[in-house]
Amino acid sequence: MKATNWRRLIVDFRLFGILLLMMVVLSFVSDRFLTVDNLTNVLWSVCLIGIMSVGAIYAPITGGIDLSVGSIAALSGIVANVLMNVYGLNWMLAIFITLGIGVLIGWVNGMVTTKFLVPAFIVTMAAKTYLFGVAMLVSNGDQITIMQPKEFLIIGVGKFLGIPIPIYIMIILAVGSHILLKHTVFGRQAIAVGANEVSAKLSGVNPDRTRIIVYIISAVTATIAGIVMASLTQQAFAMNATGYEFDVITAIVIGGTSLMGGNGSVTGALIGAVMVGFINNGLNLLDMPSSFHPIATGLVILIALIMNQGFSLPGAVKKVLARFRTAESLK
Amino acid sequence: MSVSAIRRLILVGLLISIGAALSIASPSFLTLDNLMTLLQEASLTGIVAIGFTLVLITAGIDMSIGAVIAITSMVCVNFISYTHLPAYVFIPIALAGGCLIGWVNGFFITYFKLPEFIVTLATRGILAGLALIAAVKDDQGFVKNVFIQDEVFLSFGETVGPVYIVTIVFFVLAFATQLFLKRTRAGTNVYATGANPTASRLSGINTDRTLIGVYMFSGFCAALASIFLSARMMTAMPDFGIGSEMDVIASVVIGGTPFTGGVGDIWGTVIGTLFLALIKNGILKLGLSPYIQPIVIGGIIVVTVIADVWYKGFAEKRATRIARQKQALAKEGV
């Protein structure tokens, strides 16, 4: 037990080490990196990715995936704007209705995945496509600027005790998600379902119900991220969050969550979100064209996945050498 | 009649009735010109869908096909702009590039035992970025719209009589692949690998080699479609094909190849491709909002899958009922 704790600690600190190394390298490479303006910029993107990943992490833990988070975020910003500024609803009511729509989307994703035995990534990929279509249809493809109501805009740009409100939202959600995963029955059930569905079912867990709740959680955090994003950028646009799902997956995978299910770490996902923010920011600072962004994300996903599988370069070399030696001795 | 045959009949019936409804609703639908354009668009998706069907039969998935289309068209454009090589030299190189991408996908999936969709999503991102970098740029660094003037290359977009060459290639490729799947040992290996990888490995099938081969074929098909697409458009852009994965997945799913692996054939995919192309053409002809298209495609995938599961359950219940009746009759007879 103690050994595993130590190993977990080392893994977490390894991530911190890589993070620090990245910061040092970036501050050497570009003198614009360690400025308040730049770090605030990084913070905004980290907040959005972080809010999404602490909820979206449950899908990989149960062995699924949620690729629809980006579209959900874009749609929720547009819906909130329509509710507030076209129908003139109170901003709190509008947010509650938007959250309700998020719950509905997650429920549909979960139902189709569990009851009709469709792979999660197909369902959520389809959801990503049609939700994007709905977002385009509702907003008419326009980039809508949100000026009203002031209370809504405070969510994104306001500060409390000198710290921006989105950071509070992210920290509260992260702590809640961590407690839910590690210290509640539901979290344990989610891990059990991901590790071995049959034995989880035999020990009395309802895998379908667990999965449906998982997709609802993921959709709700994506909705919250969408509301924060709409309020932060003061605009609602269907293209706003395209590609966020890859950033979210990268963050989750960097954090050591295997996509096969059965384990996961919310802290890891948060550190992963910070790293994704730094990678994107670093590419910007180095004046790389935007085309390097998907390349970097793809490479990081592949490398992190291979590392999560317990693969290491020295180990592989040793294996090849051993095979070579046995072949020699057989001769 | 088997379950899949009835399903296919229903699909063909729907295809014909939607076609009939469209020709009543829009006078410009039932013209030779429109039908040939429809077939040509269906063939471009269909060539990719043939490779994708094989991947789906092995219970895998290939999300990188759209990005393969983009990078292949960029490779061709670079050859055309910067070299004087003839088309029959660089087209095989481009096709081999598609195979190589498929090999890389297959290698990561089989050697590191990673989930298929995340590997291909990652390669999709990498290739989409590479396509943007490889694009031919003008002096200011903006992507240049290259007009392809290579005679041999452009001949791929021509027609034979009223039929586009791509349509002919599509049907020939479909026929050949169907023959491969049903009449060769390697084809049977593909089904076996999808149905039960462990059992196939234990009975002596090299499942890793089968998987890598299937992904290579998928990459090849996407590269082939890309060449036809750029020849038809007479130009190439780095965002060619990005996002077309959903069309391909929808076509294959409508065609009746399930995600569980081990089942499926090419004729279903051909019908599915025609079906999707018909619906897309219908949206255009009826003058609906173009934003409806992603909603329809995403919706079709979900609805088809739900209907399939219901239908399968219904057919199984019916089969057990008939079996029970037979048993009862046999007892009475004794």
Side-chain angles (χ1 to χ4, degrees):
Chain A
M1 198 58 203
K2 209 160 194 183
T4 52
N5 272 348
W6 268 110
R7 195 170 290 167
R8 173 69 53 79
L9 217 59
I10 289 169
V11 167
D12 278 358
F13 273 103
R14 183 182 71 181
L15 282 175
F16 270 119
I18 298 174
L19 199 64
L20 276 179
L21 197 72
M22 269 176 79
M23 283 183 78
V24 171
V25 168
L26 277 174
S27 50
F28 270 114
V29 168
S30 168
D31 47 352
R32 276 177 296 162
F33 178 71
L34 273 182
T35 55
V36 177
D37 276 358
N38 184 50
L39 287 182
T40 339
N41 265 339
V42 178
L43 214 57
W44 295 139
S45 72
V46 167
C47 269
L48 294 178
I49 298 170
I51 291 174
M52 284 186 191
S53 11
V54 294
I57 194 171
Y58 285 90
I61 286 171
T62 59
I65 193 120
D66 194 348
L67 294 173
S68 60
V69 284
S71 289
I72 294 177
L75 182 64
S76 58
I78 291 169
V79 167
N81 175 53
V82 167
L83 287 176
M84 286 182 307
N85 289 334
V86 178
Y87 293 101
L89 288 181
N90 179 280
W91 64 280
M92 273 175 122
L93 193 62
I95 287 176
F96 271 116
I97 294 175
T98 317
L99 285 176
I101 292 172
V103 170
L104 188 71
I105 295 170
W107 182 79
V108 170
N109 278 346
M111 278 302 274
V112 179
T113 320
T114 52
K115 302 291 179 202
F116 300 103
L117 303 170
V118 193
F121 65 94
I122 291 292
V123 177
T124 50
M125 193 82 182
K128 174 192 164 190
T129 314
Y130 65 72
L131 291 176
F132 175 72
V134 172
M136 284 297 248
L137 208 62
V138 173
S139 68
N140 213 2
D142 291 336
Q143 210 162 338
I144 308 160
T145 314
I146 308 175
M147 303 299 288
Q148 296 287 338
K150 290 280 177 282
E151 293 92 337
F152 179 75
L153 295 179
I154 284 176
I155 298 175
V157 289
K159 280 182 182 169
F160 180 69
L161 298 178
I163 299 172
I165 291 176
I167 295 183
Y168 287 107
I169 298 178
M170 181 177 80
I171 289 171
I172 290 170
L173 284 176
V175 170
S177 169
H178 184 81
I179 292 172
L180 185 65
L181 183 64
K182 298 287 177 192
H183 300 286
T184 65
V185 177
F186 171 76
R188 297 283 115 183
Q189 286 180 344
I191 293 176
V193 168
N196 191 334
E197 186 174 342
V198 177
S199 62
K201 201 170 183 176
L202 291 178
S203 33
V205 182
N206 185 345
D208 286 3
R209 209 193 59 157
T210 312
R211 286 228 167 91
I212 292 173
I213 295 175
V214 158
Y215 287 102
I216 291 177
I217 292 174
S218 171
V220 166
T221 49
T223 316
I224 294 172
I227 292 170
V228 171
M229 183 168 65
S231 149
L232 187 68
T233 57
Q234 306 202 347
Q235 63 169 2
F237 185 35
M239 310 275 255
N240 250 350
T242 33
Y244 265 57
E245 53 275 358
F246 299 111
D247 286 343
V248 168
I249 292 173
T250 318
I252 292 171
V253 168
I254 290 176
T257 305
S258 133
L259 292 176
M260 270 68 141
N263 71 354
S265 140
V266 176
T267 1
L270 268 189
I271 300 173
V274 179
M275 266 196 216
V276 170
F278 278 147
I279 292 171
N280 293 352
N281 184 247
L283 290 176
N284 275 340
L285 287 180
L286 296 177
D287 287 327
M288 295 283 197
S290 61
S291 43
F292 277 95
H293 175 215
I295 299 183
T297 315
L299 283 178
V300 169
I301 290 182
L302 276 183
I303 294 169
L305 272 177
I306 293 170
M307 302 269 275
N308 284 358
Q309 294 283 62
F311 178 87
S312 65
L313 203 61
V317 171
K318 239 180 236 170
K319 222 167 150 186
V320 172
L321 279 181
R323 200 182 289 167
F324 190 68
R325 260 185 222 133
T326 42
E328 285 279 274
S329 63
L330 281 177
K331 271 180 193 170
Chain B
M1 245 197 298
S2 73
V3 175
S4 61
I6 295 174
R7 186 190 186 284
R8 194 155 295 171
L9 264 182
I10 295 173
L11 201 60
V12 173
L14 266 178
L15 194 70
I16 294 171
S17 46
I18 292 177
L22 272 179
S23 39
I24 294 169
S26 161
S28 62
F29 174 76
L30 206 64
T31 54
L32 187 68
D33 215 32
N34 183 43
L35 286 184
M36 283 304 141
T37 318
L38 193 159
L39 265 181
Q40 182 239 349
E41 266 160 25
S43 314
L44 283 174
T45 320
I47 290 177
V48 189
I50 290 172
F52 193 86
T53 311
L54 258 66
V55 173
L56 216 53
I57 289 174
T58 64
I61 190 122
D62 190 349
M63 304 303 285
S64 67
I65 39 183
V68 173
I69 294 179
I71 191 94
T72 311
S73 69
M74 283 303 108
V75 167
C76 289
V77 160
N78 271 300
F79 269 114
I80 290 169
S81 322
Y82 295 126
T83 67
H84 294 288
L85 285 175
Y88 46 82
V89 174
F90 67 75
I91 286 177
I93 295 178
L95 292 178
C99 288
L100 179 72
I101 294 163
W103 183 84
V104 171
N105 279 337
F107 174 75
F108 274 107
I109 290 163
T110 53
Y111 188 81
F112 296 112
K113 309 263 180 302
L114 297 176
E116 297 90 356
F117 76 94
I118 196 74
V119 170
T120 48
L121 264 182
T123 45
R124 172 191 191 230
I126 296 170
L127 292 172
L130 281 179
L132 273 173
I133 293 172
V136 178
K137 312 255 179 40
D138 59 12
D139 299 335
Q140 271 106 40
F142 292 109
V143 175
K144 202 164 78 179
N145 207 347
V146 181
F147 289 102
I148 300 174
Q149 283 164 338
D150 192 313
E151 295 270 319
V152 185
F153 192 82
L154 285 184
S155 66
F156 278 91
E158 297 289 315
T159 54
V160 177
V163 189
Y164 285 94
I165 292 178
V166 59
T167 311
I168 300 168
V169 170
F170 169 51
F171 281 105
V172 170
L173 188 68
F175 185 73
T177 315
Q178 176 75 0
L179 220 60
F180 164 78
L181 275 179
K182 297 287 181 187
R183 296 262 181 266
T184 67
R185 181 181 289 186
T188 316
N189 286 354
V190 172
Y191 281 109
T193 307
N196 193 336
T198 316
S200 337
R201 197 160 46 242
L202 291 178
S203 46
I205 297 172
N206 189 340
T207 48
D208 284 1
R209 206 171 63 190
T210 310
L211 281 178
I212 291 180
V214 162
Y215 283 97
M216 280 172 78
F217 182 64
S218 170
F220 169 81
C221 287
L224 190 65
S226 164
I227 287 168
F228 281 113
L229 184 66
S230 344
R232 169 85 186 112
M233 297 288 186
M234 296 186 176
T235 177
M237 295 303 277
D239 59 350
F240 264 14
I242 303 281
S244 66
E245 301 93 5
M246 281 326 274
D247 289 11
V248 174
I249 293 174
S251 311
V252 178
V253 168
I254 296 169
T257 307
F259 291 108
T260 38
V263 198
D265 71 348
I266 303 296
W267 295 134
T269 301
V270 172
I271 300 174
T273 325
L274 293 177
F275 192 85
L276 191 76
L278 185 72
I279 285 178
K280 280 170 85 174
N281 191 279
I283 291 175
L284 215 71
K285 286 284 167 216
L286 294 180
L288 298 176
S289 161
Y291 303 137
I292 286 185
Q293 200 162 303
I295 305 179
V296 170
I297 293 173
I300 281 181
I301 295 178
V302 174
V303 169
T304 320
V305 165
I306 290 175
D308 265 353
V309 171
W310 268 340
Y311 182 63
K312 210 174 148 199
F314 169 75
E316 269 167 13
K317 260 184 208 158
R318 191 162 150 267
T320 42
R321 206 181 60 223
I322 291 172
R324 266 198 209 124
Q325 274 172 358
K326 268 187 189 161
Q327 236 172 14
L329 280 177
K331 265 185 192 166
E332 275 173 17
V334 169

